[in-house]
Amino acid sequence: MDWRDRPPYVEEVAPGVFAYVQPDGSWMINNLGFLVGESGRSLLVDASSTETRTRRFLAEVDTRSTAAPMALVNTHHHPDHVYGNYLAPSTTPVIAHTACREEMLTAGLEATRVITEPDYGDLRIRTPDITFDDRLTLHLDEVVVELIHVGPAHTTNDVVVWLPEQRVLFTGDVAFAGGQPFLLEGSVPGFARALERLRALSPEVVVPGHGPVCRGDDVPVLLDDLSAYVAYVDQVAAVAEAEGMTALQAAEKHRDNPYAGWAETERFVGNLHRALTERAQGPGVRLRVPDAWPDMVAFHGGPIGCHA
Ligand SMILES: [Zn+2]
């Protein structure tokens, strides 16, 4: 069966460390993860976008753990990673970067009005209970879990979950496998720097935010491909800036590009929005998905669908 047609599945990537992979990895269909310690407690990495998807994930965790999760970590504020937070037990704290909480409070359920296809269920926003700015270390029984802020990259608040002993890295959306990365709300040079930091960790296993798990020799290949993509976006933006082109015009001109075979090609336009803004105005300018969405829809040639 083609990977994209598979139902969600659990992959044990190290003893007691699980990736929960949701094909096809497109808009709103994210990967999650969980760890189970010797005591039977778990630690959750991200929620999902809808009530059904998150409940299905929590049911999988329940079959492998015997106590309530010690915490739920959000890798960033995007809806596919946080909308299901409220389904975790109320005694389980949600942990994220400080800016993740702020962005969630600002955005609310706005994404349900941008990507309307999924049946989101009865969603309620549950913001993080514990926030940090740089690093935080968790201890699930004997397992050391390092939360490291590597943004701005995909967003301002990207956190990776690094298990130094197991050499497993949950990247959130700093790595996509098979789809174009999305930099609109983050930073082009910041994304390049974040990839350097991921490389420096030298992971054996990468669980990307979307797409299949990556292992061994495929890890540096994935990170190099992502770096090359980011460099390409910057290169197109440099020419577009010199020629006075908009993001959409530049994307149209370079529609036939080396990454056209990666899924969600419309992200190219959003990424050029960020690159051009950053070139003109420097880092940190607020750009949000709804701002660039009409151009992305135009480039896509119609409504950007996702699976219900
Ligand atoms: Zn994201």
Side-chain angles (χ1 to χ4, degrees):
M1 186 192 291
D2 187 86
W3 178 81
R4 290 183 166 263
D5 297 326
R6 289 183 66 177
Y9 59 93
V10 175
E11 188 170 333
E12 187 165 17
V13 295
V17 182
F18 302 89
Y20 181 83
V21 181
Q22 298 196 99
D24 60 1
S26 60
W27 292 105
M28 289 289 178
I29 305 181
N30 64 317
N31 291 337
L32 305 86
F34 62 100
L35 288 67
V36 180
E38 283 180 7
S39 65
R41 289 189 307 166
S42 62
L43 172 67
L44 313 179
V45 180
D46 278 333
S48 194
S49 50
T50 72
E51 183 175 350
T52 302
R53 286 181 189 135
T54 304
R55 284 195 191 282
R56 198 184 291 148
F57 163 69
L58 292 172
E60 284 290 346
V61 175
D62 273 354
T63 65
R64 292 171 172 82
S65 61
T66 54
M70 71 171 279
L72 161 59
V73 176
N74 287 146
T75 57
H76 62 297
H77 74 278
H78 277 162
D80 42 338
H81 301 259
V82 304
Y83 272 178
N85 281 357
Y86 74 103
L87 295 166
S90 59
T91 50
T92 296
V94 178
I95 303 175
H97 189 265
T98 308
C100 174
R101 187 171 194 282
E102 292 161 2
E103 292 289 349
M104 284 181 69
L105 287 167
T106 303
L109 294 171
E110 142 187 283
T112 61
R113 296 183 288 278
V114 177
I115 297 179
T116 55
E117 281 85 356
D119 175 4
Y120 288 96
D122 179 26
L123 290 184
R124 274 157 280 157
I125 293 291
R126 180 179 172 197
T127 54
D129 305 288
I130 299 170
T131 59
F132 67 99
D133 289 332
D134 187 22
R135 298 177 79 109
L136 186 68
T137 303
L138 305 178
H139 300 268
L140 177 67
D141 302 330
E142 299 304 312
V143 182
V144 176
V145 181
E146 295 180 0
L147 311 183
I148 308 169
H149 176 227
V150 298
H154 169 67
T155 65
T156 55
N157 53 90
D158 305 297
V159 166
V160 298
V161 178
W162 170 234
L163 313 183
E165 282 163 37
Q166 291 77 6
R167 312 209 68 73
V168 173
L169 183 65
F170 294 88
T171 63
D173 288 358
V174 180
F176 282 49
Q180 301 213 359
F182 196 32
L183 290 66
L184 175 70
E185 293 186 286
S187 166
V188 176
F191 208 109
R193 285 193 297 272
L195 289 168
E196 284 304 321
R197 293 184 68 182
L198 267 47
R199 225 174 249 115
L201 295 172
S202 196
E204 276 287 319
V205 178
V206 162
V207 181
H210 298 254
V213 171
C214 187
R215 297 162 188 272
D217 292 344
D218 290 338
V219 170
V221 172
L222 174 69
L223 298 178
D224 287 353
D225 283 351
L226 291 167
S227 292
Y229 176 90
V230 173
Y232 178 74
V233 167
D234 194 41
Q235 181 193 322
V236 171
V239 175
E241 184 188 37
E243 296 179 355
M245 300 173 89
T246 66
L248 182 57
Q249 288 168 340
E252 291 287 8
K253 183 177 174 185
H254 297 275
R255 185 177 278 280
D256 183 17
N257 68 63
Y259 306 97
W262 292 11
E264 290 85 53
T265 51
E266 60 275 6
R267 290 190 187 130
F268 186 41
V269 189
N271 296 340
L272 286 168
H273 268 281
R274 170 55 63 185
L276 286 168
T277 300
E278 224 164 359
R279 284 181 162 274
Q281 302 176 54
V285 176
R286 193 167 174 79
L287 289 178
R288 301 177 64 245
V289 175
D291 304 331
W293 197 255
D295 277 359
M296 293 168 64
V297 170
F299 185 76
H300 186 76
I304 296 167
C306 85
H307 302 266

